Amino acid sequence: MLAAMGEFDLIARYFTRPVARAALGVGDDCALLLPAPGMQLAVSSDMLVEGRHFFADVDPFALGHKALAVNLSDLAACGARPLAFTLALALPQADEAWLQGFSGGLLALADAHGCELVGGDTTCGPLNICITVFGEVPVVNGISQALLRSGARAGDDLYVSGTLGDARLALEALRGNIDLPPELLAQARMRLERPTPRVALGQALRGVASAALDLSDGLLGDLGHILAQSGVGATVNAFSAIELIAAFAHPAWGSGLVSLKNQLEFALAGGDDYELAFTAPVSARDAVQAAARQADTPVTRIGHIDAEAGLRLQGASGQPLSGEFASFDHFA
Ligand code: ADP
Ligand code: MG
């Protein structure tokens, strides 16, 4: 229950929209989804809590975008096509300007992906946003086409999409730990506050990638999930990873801005990138590039999968990374 505007007014005004793909949306006790014949439902939830996942004063439009983006990113990692989502929202008060911004950012991204808001729950409490997304994955000859964490094999190439480390760069600047020129901060901040879920790439990689996941907690830690679930190890070229920091390419970038140690930390362990990390057999290199072109999303090969367990970091010319830099291997 929310006082002031009233819970049902609030739901009607900001979170109720006609549905086309779902059979029934907001307004009854359940929503009804209608996956196409031959499709499996892919389901994922993510919660965003004030203070932990975002600052209290973050732009509500950006927050609405990010709350759905992190969920769409999970669908992307599985190769699923977004279908619908529910929104469970705890709000300290019914602030109309905030609700306008939040629902605007949320629903703009939802519309861009044809993902329909079909229900949820609204209650009074410390700001907390929990979204559950539903997506479709084809089943072909009885076999699910979903991309899983468990499919990586020794000899496979290791790739990441897009850029790495810029979200962490922005976070450090916002915390006052790094001084960034304003245009550079604005660019990096977009990566932190408005991540781009790689939805088209995930679907294009079905039947091509052997394993995939999305990067929310940092490349090395997240890659550890693929390695553990596939029973393999990996070698990662740390310098291929730091070259993916988009800020490098910005004219305002200066070599003294961020130490090499920090660059490695941001690219390898930064978090909040919402890129895809995936593996594919060497024989699929052309198919991987074709998927990247089809999805209009760059992908970069940054290493390979080994039979030997553990994670090995390489320097620019393939030598093992040593000393303090090697300590970025969190799970060696
Ligand atoms: P119930 O009490 O039966 O669980 P509610 O009264 O909580 O239902 O919600 C009424 C309707 O509004 C339901 O269809 C529910 O899914 C929807 N709803 C509630 N909160 C939200 C929200 N934040 N976003 C979208 N739909 C919502
Ligand atoms: Mg009910």
Side-chain angles (χ1 to χ4, degrees):
M1 246 317 276
L2 278 165
M5 167 166 19
E7 179 187 347
F8 297 104
D9 285 346
L10 185 161
I11 296 167
R13 197 171 311 170
Y14 297 105
F15 300 115
T16 303
R17 319 187 81 206
V19 291
R21 298 177 66 201
L24 183 66
V26 169
D28 215 304
D29 289 304
C30 290
L32 297 172
L33 300 183
L34 201 58
M39 294 285 184
Q40 244 172 6
L41 268 187
V43 181
S44 180
S45 295
D46 259 306
M47 194 174 341
L48 271 76
V49 176
E50 182 183 311
R52 177 156 190 89
H53 300 102
F54 58 91
F55 297 114
D57 62 349
V58 72
D59 169 26
F61 189 97
L63 184 61
H65 172 102
K66 185 163 180 174
L68 183 59
V70 303
N71 280 278
L72 291 176
S73 181
D74 285 317
L75 289 184
C78 286
R81 177 181 178 220
L83 179 64
F85 70 106
T86 61
L87 168 68
L89 191 60
L91 291 170
Q93 73 267 327
D95 174 336
E96 300 210 26
W98 190 92
L99 281 160
Q100 189 74 48
F102 176 80
S103 62
L106 180 87
L107 295 173
L109 185 65
D111 288 348
H113 291 280
C115 190
E116 299 182 324
L117 177 56
V118 294
D121 198 24
T122 305
T123 180
C124 193
L127 186 55
N128 190 322
I129 303 155
C130 182
I131 287 179
T132 298
V133 278
F134 303 86
E136 293 178 329
V137 185
V139 179
V140 178
N141 297 326
I143 299 171
S144 170
Q145 301 298 296
L147 302 174
L148 303 180
R149 298 175 173 186
S150 51
R153 296 292 171 259
D156 283 357
D157 292 322
L158 171 66
Y159 298 85
V160 294
S161 66
T163 66
L164 291 177
D166 295 282
R168 175 67 182 278
L169 178 69
L171 188 64
E172 295 296 333
L174 293 172
R175 284 174 172 161
N177 297 335
I178 289 177
D179 251 338
L180 287 185
E183 1 30 312
L184 195 50
L185 174 59
Q187 177 189 292
R189 196 169 177 167
M190 284 296 282
R191 296 290 297 145
L192 176 67
E193 294 182 352
R194 309 243 190 133
T196 304
R198 302 302 188 181
V199 173
L201 180 64
Q203 292 172 78
L205 287 171
R206 290 195 308 243
V208 176
S210 49
L213 92 175
D214 70 315
L215 298 176
S216 50
D217 297 333
L219 172 66
L220 295 189
D222 285 333
L223 178 59
H225 300 308
I226 287 187
L227 303 188
Q229 295 196 30
S230 299
V232 293
T235 300
V236 173
N237 189 310
F239 284 76
S240 307
I242 60 175
E243 280 167 12
L244 297 178
I245 300 175
F248 274 5
H250 195 285
W253 180 263
S255 58
L257 283 176
V258 177
S259 68
L260 178 61
K261 186 168 179 286
N262 277 338
Q263 290 171 33
L264 285 165
E265 188 181 349
F266 297 175
L268 297 175
D272 265 340
D273 292 314
Y274 297 101
E275 296 293 352
L276 298 185
F278 61 96
T279 61
V282 173
S283 61
R285 281 185 186 172
D286 288 347
V288 167
Q289 292 309 323
R293 276 194 304 276
Q294 186 192 327
D296 200 15
T297 306
V299 305
T300 307
R301 186 150 52 88
I302 59 159
H304 59 263
I305 298 298
D306 303 316
E308 186 191 341
L311 182 81
R312 288 152 290 278
L313 288 180
Q314 287 180 340
S317 51
Q319 79 281 18
L321 214 59
S322 58
E324 56 178 335
F325 299 142
S327 69
F328 290 118
D329 182 354
H330 289 309
F331 53 91

